Amino acid sequence: MAKQARAELTRLLLLDAAATLFYRDGYAATSMVDIAREAGVTKGGLYFHFSSKDEICDEVQSAAVAVLHGHVARARGSRPHLCRLAGLSRALMGWLDEDAKVGASFRLAREMGSNDPRFVAFVRAWMGQVRAHIAAAHGAGELSPHVRPDLAALLVVVTCVGLETAAASGTIPAGTDLAGTLSELWRVLEVAQPADPAAAEATGT
């Protein structure tokens, strides 16, 4: 059991190291040797657990998807669907600051997604959840009848991706509170939404 526990710890160290390097330096600039060195593991130890960089990439994204699914499961049934969508988008911004596996998955999609669909596994899972929340909100009557669910989902995705890209490119100051920024956007949208359905009909919102 002790040997198995050590092997599992080594695997986790390698995944954390790979995620950190993918997020910081990108996929192309990260080598297997870099990952082993970052984790403090021998090259032989690395290849015992992972046969290639692509395999590690898949594992990093799987771990990020698990974070996503865990959040969705905890929030299930607790609030209206749009509130859950807002919570998911804020959580995503927090993960980009705090969880290298999620950050790496976003960078992998941004830099490598056009070359190979395997690099967008996490982003596809996240986008699917956004669409699911929008569809559920639409079905529950939480959306204005003038709002197209497909466009609403697209706007949420574009906003989150835009914030991530702006932070990664240095377009916005380093250390910007992405979750707080997105919270402010949701607050503005909530304030802008008419409380009176008749007013919504009159203004076309």
Side-chain angles (χ1 to χ4, degrees), residues 39 77 82 84 101 146 150:
L82 286 181
R84 278 185 262 172
K101 294 182 286 294
H146 301 284
D150 58 333

Short mmCIF file of all heavy atoms in Angstrom, two decimals, residues 39 77 82 84 101 146 150:
data_model
loop_
_atom_site.label_atom_id
_atom_site.label_comp_id
_atom_site.label_asym_id
_atom_site.label_seq_id
_atom_site.Cartn_x
_atom_site.Cartn_y
_atom_site.Cartn_z
N ALA A 39 8.62 18.63 -11.37
CA ALA A 39 8.02 17.76 -10.36
C ALA A 39 9.04 17.16 -9.42
O ALA A 39 8.67 16.58 -8.39
CB ALA A 39 7.23 16.64 -11.04
N GLY A 77 -29.79 22.13 -8.17
CA GLY A 77 -31.05 22.25 -7.45
C GLY A 77 -31.10 23.32 -6.39
O GLY A 77 -32.13 23.52 -5.75
N LEU A 82 -30.26 30.54 -13.96
CA LEU A 82 -29.40 31.67 -14.31
C LEU A 82 -28.44 32.00 -13.19
O LEU A 82 -27.31 32.42 -13.43
CB LEU A 82 -30.24 32.89 -14.67
CG LEU A 82 -30.94 32.85 -16.04
CD1 LEU A 82 -31.72 34.13 -16.27
CD2 LEU A 82 -29.92 32.63 -17.16
N ARG A 84 -27.19 29.79 -11.18
CA ARG A 84 -26.16 28.75 -11.26
C ARG A 84 -25.19 29.05 -12.40
O ARG A 84 -23.98 28.81 -12.27
CB ARG A 84 -26.81 27.38 -11.46
CG ARG A 84 -27.29 26.76 -10.16
CD ARG A 84 -27.80 25.36 -10.39
NE ARG A 84 -29.25 25.36 -10.50
CZ ARG A 84 -29.96 24.30 -10.86
NH1 ARG A 84 -29.35 23.18 -11.18
NH2 ARG A 84 -31.28 24.37 -10.92
N LYS A 101 -4.63 23.55 -13.51
CA LYS A 101 -5.18 22.58 -14.47
C LYS A 101 -6.24 23.23 -15.34
O LYS A 101 -6.31 22.98 -16.54
CB LYS A 101 -5.74 21.37 -13.71
CG LYS A 101 -4.68 20.54 -12.99
CD LYS A 101 -5.26 19.35 -12.30
CE LYS A 101 -6.02 19.74 -11.03
NZ LYS A 101 -5.13 20.29 -9.99
N HIS A 146 -37.71 37.42 -25.60
CA HIS A 146 -36.98 38.06 -26.69
C HIS A 146 -35.52 37.58 -26.77
O HIS A 146 -34.81 37.95 -27.70
CB HIS A 146 -37.00 39.58 -26.54
CG HIS A 146 -38.37 40.16 -26.52
ND1 HIS A 146 -39.14 40.32 -27.65
CD2 HIS A 146 -39.14 40.60 -25.49
CE1 HIS A 146 -40.31 40.84 -27.33
NE2 HIS A 146 -40.34 41.03 -26.03
N ASP A 150 -29.40 30.38 -27.85
CA ASP A 150 -28.10 30.14 -28.47
C ASP A 150 -27.22 31.38 -28.40
O ASP A 150 -26.01 31.29 -28.12
CB ASP A 150 -28.25 29.66 -29.91
CG ASP A 150 -29.02 30.65 -30.79
OD1 ASP A 150 -29.85 31.41 -30.25
OD2 ASP A 150 -28.79 30.65 -32.01
#
